């Protein structure tokens, strides 16, 4: 491909101007020609669909044919759905698996190819994870496994986590030899790698279009071999599932003799048409040339990143498609890497301790060179490590004086516990979730387990919980207490019931209060490190929807301030004001908030691991109050000018 032709193609992707976008494994910018096709179809909605029904349906069916041709399939083997998750879910239900049946899925799968199979556990179907190691073929990974009662093996064509590509023909052949259904999540392969369903021979394929295919969200599809059609259960049925959808004959349900039986109503025309145009653009270049161009990009990156002594997550023998991942060196502060790339307008995925790079065929060589140069800069001039405090620099503690962690089975509480263990600090764990507590303790190293003074499961809403807890705790003194327990009720006050409100206050105020009181009376060591309560800024800034959540934090905040003065010179009392984080609690809050708040393009989240480090550092330092600068500013504005703060909230609030 000539540079001139690629530059011409990129004119249809104006987002790329001034950006080094290497993140097509996430979501893609949609070409302007695809957007225009969708806008034109939306424009037709000024008149009823009936006025142009067959013209729109004609476009959809033409795209079905072209997509099938692109995949080496027949149009009748393709069903349009919303996304990859709905595609895999449909396949999982269509197979009508029975109690005792097993499904094998790689243990590092994306949830779209994991949860739909796990959801079958209620029918007695067992999900069995397995590993595919670096430089290991799919046949080698599967050959040593017990295949008794295994009915399905479902894999990603390309791992979202490592970039390793599966040989799909080898996979399909293995499954056929062992009389097992083969299912492929192909979203990380379609658009960057040639796929021929018939030649490769697998039974099912599921995908969306919003990555390498350059389509929009809302368009996914299923492929199923024609030979299997009549054996499949149709989990969702509607008028278009019928062989003759416009006859409305209610006397007999006669399914379509194609995969359209899995389309229960009118199709989602707009994103399908957008995907069709994007598919045309890729076809203009040819998928073989697209694949060759991307492979050239990966070879270049592989060579340059290896020269920087970076560890790649794919092996030398592994097949690849469009993803390359490398480990972030330990000397680099992992938490600052995303910010580093953002400042340089480089878009990649930073997840944990690795970076995922995913260029497309029209990525320029100069962009790859700029990325490699930036990585070299990152490594040669490591970002400064976050300030950490060790337990040895604080008051000396021992196994006989652990820190009590309340909320140890919550997302943040677990991370705080891990940080204390990293400082060789003994801990006692309080939690409310038995499976999480069991898993946490099971995954600890021998050294970490030696630092666990004990654990207890507590239901703060049950009568007599404190006496029961006392009976479970070792009769020793404790050097401190961390309150990280949390609950959440996000709704208008009139929609909240008394049970929800009482539970929030029991978990977030009364339980910490009773634990603090008991700590001061019975558990406190002679040289206490202190009591630290993790709070939300809503405890001082009352946000709509968070009335009970905020007021429970406000009560604990005020209690802490009182005890800071009451216990001065005896026990340090501390407050840590936590930023919003990527956590289950925040996800629950976020979904409801989006219904009432108008937000901007992005929302800043703190990294939970960062918050845990800050909490433990503050605890050892004995700092009375800690909050991010922006949170401090919010708290100050609300305290000094509450009317102004209310006006700012009103700009976003949409009741």
């Amino acid at each position: 491909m000539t540079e001139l032709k690629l530059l011409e193609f990129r004119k249809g992707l104006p987002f790329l101007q001034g950006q080094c976008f290497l993140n097509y494994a996430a979501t893609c910018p949609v070409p302007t020609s695809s957007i225009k096709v969708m806008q034109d179809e939306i424009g037709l909605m000024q008149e009823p669909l009936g006025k142009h029904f067959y013209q729109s349906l004609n476009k959809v069916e033409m795209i079905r044919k072209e997509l099938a041709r692109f995949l080496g399939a027949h149009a009748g083997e393709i069903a349009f759905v919303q996304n990859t998750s709905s595609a895999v879910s449909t396949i999982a239900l269509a197979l009508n698996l029975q109690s005792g049946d097993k499904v094998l899925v790689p243990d590092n799968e994306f949830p779209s190819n994991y949860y739909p199979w796990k959801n079958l556990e209620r029918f007695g179907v067992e999900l069995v994870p397995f590993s595919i190691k670096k430089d290991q073929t799919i046949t080698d990974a599967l050959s040593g496994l017990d295949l008794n009662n295994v009915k399905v093996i479902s894999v990603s064509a390309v791992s979202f986590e490592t970039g390793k590509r599966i040989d799909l023909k080898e996979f399909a052949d293995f499954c056929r030899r062992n009389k097992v259904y083969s299912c492929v999540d192909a979203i990380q392969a379609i658009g960057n790698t040639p796929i021929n369903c018939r030649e490769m021979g697998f039974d099912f394929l599921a995908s969306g279009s919003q990555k390498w295919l350059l389509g929009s969200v809302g368009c996914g599809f299923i492929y199923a071999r024609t030979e299997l059609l009549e054996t499949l259960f149709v989990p969702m049925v509607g008028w278009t599932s019928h062989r003759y959808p416009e006859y409305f004959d209610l006397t007999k349900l006669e399914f379509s003799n194609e995969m359209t039986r899995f389309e229960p109503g009118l199709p989602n025309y707009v994103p399908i048409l957008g995907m069709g145009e994007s598919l045309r653009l890729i076809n203009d270049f040819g998928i073989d040339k697209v694949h060759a161009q991307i492979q050239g990009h990966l070879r270049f990156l592989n060579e340059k990143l290896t020269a920087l002594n970076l560890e790649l997550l794919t092996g030398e023998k592994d097949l690849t498609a469009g993803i390359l991942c490398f480990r972030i060196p330990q000397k680099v502060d992992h938490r600052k890497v995303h910010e580093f790339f953002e400042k340089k307008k480089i878009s990649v995925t930073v997840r944990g301790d690795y970076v995922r790079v995913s260029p497309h065929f029209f990525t320029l060589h100069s962009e790859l060179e700029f990325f490699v140069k930036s990585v070299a800069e990152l490594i040669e001039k490591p970002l400064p490590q976050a300030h950490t405090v060790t337990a040895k620099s604080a008051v000396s503690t021992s196994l006989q004086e652990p820190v009590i962690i309340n909320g140890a089975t919550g997302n943040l509480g677990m991370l705080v516990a891990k940080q204390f263990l990293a400082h060789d600090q003994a801990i006692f764990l309080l939690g409310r979730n038995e499976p999480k507590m069991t898993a946490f303790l099971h995954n600890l190293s021998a050294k970490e387990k030696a630092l666990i003074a004990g654990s207890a499961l507590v239901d703060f809403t049950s009568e007599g919980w404190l006496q029961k807890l006392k009976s479970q705790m070792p009769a020793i003194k404790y050097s401190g207490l961390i309150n990280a327990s949390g609950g959440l009720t996000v709704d208008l006050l009139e929609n909240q019931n008394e049970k929800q409100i009482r539970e929030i206050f029991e978990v977030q105020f009364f339980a910490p209060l009773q634990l603090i009181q008991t700590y001061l009376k019975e558990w406190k060591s002679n040289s206490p490190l202190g009591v630290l309560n993790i709070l939300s800024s809503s405890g001082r800034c009352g946000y709509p929807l968070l009335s009970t959540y905020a007021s429970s934090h406000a009560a604990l905040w005020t209690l802490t301030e009182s005890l800071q003065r009451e216990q001065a010179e005896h026990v340090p009392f501390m407050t840590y004001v936590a930023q919003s984080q990527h956590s289950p609690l925040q996800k629950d809050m976020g979904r409801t908030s989006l219904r009432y708040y108008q937000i901007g393009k992005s929302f800043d989240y703190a990294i939970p691991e960062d918050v845990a480090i800050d909490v433990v550092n503050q605890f050892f330092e004995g700092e009375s109050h800690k909050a991010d600068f922006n949170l401090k500013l919010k708290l100050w504005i609300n305290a000094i000018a509450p009317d102004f703060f209310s006006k700012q909230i009103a700009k976003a609030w949409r009741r």
Side-chain angles (χ1 to χ4, degrees), residues 9-10 13-17 19-31 187-192 209-215 282 294 297 322-323 347-349 356-364 367-368:
F9 182 87
R10 288 167 64 96
L13 292 162
F15 171 78
L16 300 182
Q17 295 178 16
Q19 301 284 331
C20 181
F21 189 79
L22 304 172
N23 209 12
Y24 292 92
T27 54
C28 66
V30 179
I187 195 167
Q188 292 292 6
I190 291 179
N192 65 38
S209 68
Q210 74 276 13
K211 298 182 186 291
W212 303 92
L213 210 47
L214 305 180
I282 291 175
I294 296 173
H297 292 338
I323 294 172
S347 181
V348 292
T349 292
R356 184 181 71 185
V357 193
S358 49
H360 217 311
F361 76 93
F362 47 83
T363 298
L364 301 177
E367 293 177 309
L368 301 178

Side-chain angles (χ1 to χ4, degrees), residues 147-442:
L147 297 181
N148 286 325
N149 298 322
V150 172
K151 303 299 181 184
V152 187
I153 304 176
S154 188
V155 301
S156 284
V158 178
S159 169
F160 84 102
E161 188 176 63
T162 66
K164 181 186 180 88
R165 176 165 64 90
I166 298 298
D167 185 323
L168 294 181
K169 188 176 189 312
E170 179 186 334
F171 168 62
D173 289 345
F174 176 90
C175 291
R176 187 168 294 105
R177 286 196 304 272
N178 290 278
K179 296 180 172 56
V180 174
Y181 288 118
S182 52
C183 180
V184 177
D185 173 351
I187 195 167
Q188 292 292 6
I190 291 179
N192 65 38
T193 300
I195 288 182
N196 190 302
C197 298
R198 279 289 167 176
E199 289 182 3
M200 292 175 169
F202 46 78
D203 297 316
F204 303 99
L205 177 144
S207 186
S209 68
Q210 74 276 13
K211 298 182 186 291
W212 303 92
L213 210 47
L214 305 180
S216 75
V217 296
C219 176
F221 43 88
I222 304 170
Y223 158 83
R225 285 199 301 118
T226 298
E227 295 84 351
L228 299 175
L229 185 61
E230 295 304 325
T231 69
L232 302 177
F233 170 70
V234 185
M236 291 188 293
V237 179
W239 69 283
T240 58
S241 303
H242 200 278
R243 186 171 184 178
Y244 308 110
E246 293 180 81
Y247 280 3
F248 305 141
D249 179 5
L250 302 183
T251 61
K252 182 181 180 182
L253 175 53
E254 184 179 357
F255 283 118
S256 162
N257 57 4
E258 296 184 331
M259 280 294 290
T260 50
R261 63 175 60 184
F262 289 95
E263 299 174 5
L266 291 173
N268 196 2
Y269 289 101
V270 175
I272 292 174
L273 300 188
M275 184 271 292
E277 170 61 14
S278 294
L279 179 61
R280 183 192 67 77
L281 294 173
I282 291 175
N283 272 330
D284 283 349
F285 282 87
I287 189 60
D288 290 327
K289 290 182 180 178
V290 165
H291 179 66
Q293 184 83 352
I294 296 173
Q295 288 296 293
H297 292 338
L298 294 193
R299 283 193 297 272
F300 173 81
L301 290 172
N302 189 316
E303 177 189 340
K304 297 300 182 183
L305 295 176
T306 301
L308 292 172
N309 296 317
L310 292 169
E311 177 193 351
L312 303 184
L313 301 194
T314 45
E316 293 181 5
K317 298 178 183 178
D318 285 333
L319 301 173
T320 56
I323 294 172
L324 186 142
C325 301
F326 63 90
R327 196 83 63 189
I328 302 168
Q330 288 188 347
K331 66 181 181 179
V332 178
D333 188 343
H334 299 175
R335 300 165 300 148
K336 303 299 182 183
V337 173
H338 177 75
E339 182 183 347
F340 172 82
F341 286 127
E342 282 286 300
K343 286 181 178 178
K344 291 183 172 292
K345 295 187 177 180
I346 296 173
S347 181
V348 292
T349 292
V350 180
R351 186 176 281 118
D353 66 344
Y354 73 92
V355 175
R356 184 181 71 185
V357 193
S358 49
H360 217 311
F361 76 93
F362 47 83
T363 298
L364 301 177
H365 190 73
S366 58
E367 293 177 309
L368 301 178
E369 290 178 325
F370 176 63
F371 172 72
V372 170
K373 181 181 177 182
S374 299
V375 172
E377 179 185 336
L378 176 66
I379 295 169
E380 290 167 8
K381 298 179 180 178
L383 298 169
Q385 296 283 341
H387 170 63
T388 58
V389 179
T390 64
K392 293 187 175 82
S393 68
V395 178
S396 176
T397 60
S398 66
L399 181 59
Q400 286 68 40
E401 293 184 352
V403 174
I404 302 168
I405 301 178
N406 171 32
T409 55
N411 188 62
L412 180 57
M414 278 190 190
L415 293 170
V416 168
K418 290 288 285 185
Q419 278 300 314
F420 273 117
L421 294 175
H423 290 299
D424 296 327
Q425 168 64 55
I427 55 177
F428 185 92
L429 306 173
L430 297 183
R432 293 181 289 153
N433 188 308
E434 184 173 5
K436 287 186 176 181
M437 181 73 82
T438 301
F440 179 78
L441 294 171
H442 176 75

Side-chain angles (χ1 to χ4, degrees), residues 598-618:
Q598 184 70 43
I599 67 169
K601 281 190 173 183
S602 62
F603 189 83
D604 291 331
Y605 283 104
I607 299 172
E609 289 82 358
D610 288 3
V611 175
I613 290 172
D614 285 345
V615 166
V616 173
N617 285 350
Q618 181 189 359

